[in-house]
Amino acid sequence: MPVSMTTALMDQAGVTRSLISAWVGPKEVMISNDEVAGFVAEAPDRLVGVGSVDISKPMTAVQEARRCVETLGFKAIRVLPWLWEAPPTDRRFYPVYVACCELGVPFCTQIGHTGPLMSSEVGKPIYLDRVALDFPELTIVGGHIGYPWTEEAVAVATKHENVYIDTSAYTARRYPEELVRFLRGRGRRKVLFGTNYPMISPAKALEGLDALGLDEEAKALFLAGNAQRIFGL
C-alpha cells in the first residue's frame, strides 16, 4: 500500500497521525523494521513507527529493540503471541519487556481471538496480569479489545495502572457493551482508538462512533489524548 494512499485515507477520516507496525514471526519477517522506517521517512509528520523483534533470539531481540527506538526513532515494540504460539508470560518475551522498560517505550501486543487459523488461547487478557505484576514499570497496550474475553481485558486494565486496551480490528459499532461502558466512565484514560489498517480503513473503523454516547472528554482521550500520552507523541 503506497504511503500516499495511506495518508489520503487518513485525511478522509480526519486522522492526523497513525502508528504503523513491523511484523516479525518465527518463520518469516512479514514487514521489517527497516521497511517501516522507510514508510515513516516518506511521511514523518503523519506516521509513527512501531518495531517488532524475534523473541527466539533474546540478545538479538534486545539489540533490535534498542536499534528500533534509539536509531529508527520508533515509539513502541510489538510482538503478537499467536504468531509465536506462546502466551506473553512465556520466558522468551521477558528480555523484550526489560528492554522496553529501559528504553521507556510501551510494549504492544494482541489480546483476544485470532482471525488466522492459529490458537486464540495465547491471547487471553489475563496473561497480562502476570506480566504487569512482574513489570510494574512497563506500559502494556493490548490490541483487538480482547474479545471474547473483553470483560477480562477491562478487569486487567482496571487493576493495573500500566495496562491499556486498543480497539484495532473493530469498527466502533462492533465494540462490546462492557468496553463501551468502560470507555464512557472510569476507563476513559485506558482505551485507545485503533484501525488495523489496511484490513480496516480509518473511516470504516470510526463508523458508529457517535452512537457510543461518549462525552467530549472521553471522545478526545479515546481518539488522540491517550495515545499522545502513552506513546509520547
Side-chain angles (χ1 to χ4, degrees):
M1 191 75 68
V3 169
S4 59
M5 183 177 294
T6 298
T7 55
L9 288 170
M10 289 167 59
D11 290 338
Q12 184 183 68
V15 175
T16 56
R17 301 188 80 185
S18 290
L19 289 102
I20 60 170
S21 178
W23 275 62
V24 176
K27 298 177 181 177
E28 63 178 322
V29 176
M30 288 152 279
I31 305 174
S32 73
N33 292 317
D34 288 318
E35 286 179 291
V36 169
F39 300 149
V40 172
E42 290 187 50
D45 296 330
R46 308 297 304 280
L47 302 178
V48 178
V50 175
S52 192
V53 296
D54 181 345
I55 62 171
S56 71
K57 302 172 182 175
M59 289 307 299
T60 301
V62 168
Q63 291 163 1
E64 181 64 6
R66 191 171 297 281
R67 185 179 78 93
C68 284
V69 175
E70 296 180 342
T71 302
L72 301 181
F74 290 178
K75 295 296 186 179
I77 300 297
R78 182 172 183 253
V79 181
L80 304 180
W82 66 265
L83 272 178
W84 294 91
E85 297 187 84
T89 51
D90 187 284
R91 66 186 185 279
R92 292 171 292 177
F93 282 88
Y94 274 52
V96 181
Y97 301 151
V98 173
C100 287
C101 290
E102 291 180 341
L103 293 164
V105 298
F107 175 79
C108 300
T109 192
Q110 178 180 331
I111 51 175
H113 82 102
T114 65
L117 295 178
M118 301 284 283
S119 173
S120 293
E121 191 273 339
V122 297
K124 286 186 174 179
I126 198 64
Y127 284 119
L128 297 183
D129 180 52
R130 180 71 264 169
V131 176
L133 289 169
D134 290 342
F135 293 93
E137 308 86 353
L138 177 66
T139 297
I140 304 167
V141 180
H144 294 18
I145 74 175
Y147 177 85
W149 306 290
T150 304
E151 194 164 10
E152 188 173 284
V154 167
V156 176
T158 300
K159 177 179 178 179
H160 296 286
E161 184 180 354
N162 58 327
V163 176
Y164 300 87
I165 301 168
D166 86 46
T167 63
S168 55
Y170 288 80
T171 61
R173 68 174 76 255
R174 292 184 58 225
Y175 297 166
E177 182 55 36
E178 56 266 39
L179 181 71
V180 176
R181 288 196 301 268
F182 188 54
L183 183 54
R184 286 182 189 139
R186 70 185 189 280
R188 61 184 53 212
R189 294 179 63 83
K190 304 286 283 184
V191 185
L192 295 73
F193 171 71
T195 66
N196 210 41
Y197 174 84
M199 306 304 182
I200 300 177
S201 71
K204 183 70 175 177
L206 286 166
E207 286 183 2
L209 177 69
D210 291 341
L212 298 182
L214 305 181
D215 60 36
E216 288 305 309
E217 180 194 52
K219 185 185 293 186
L221 288 168
F222 173 54
L223 295 178
N226 291 336
Q228 288 170 338
R229 184 182 75 254
I230 292 163
F231 293 101
L233 303 178

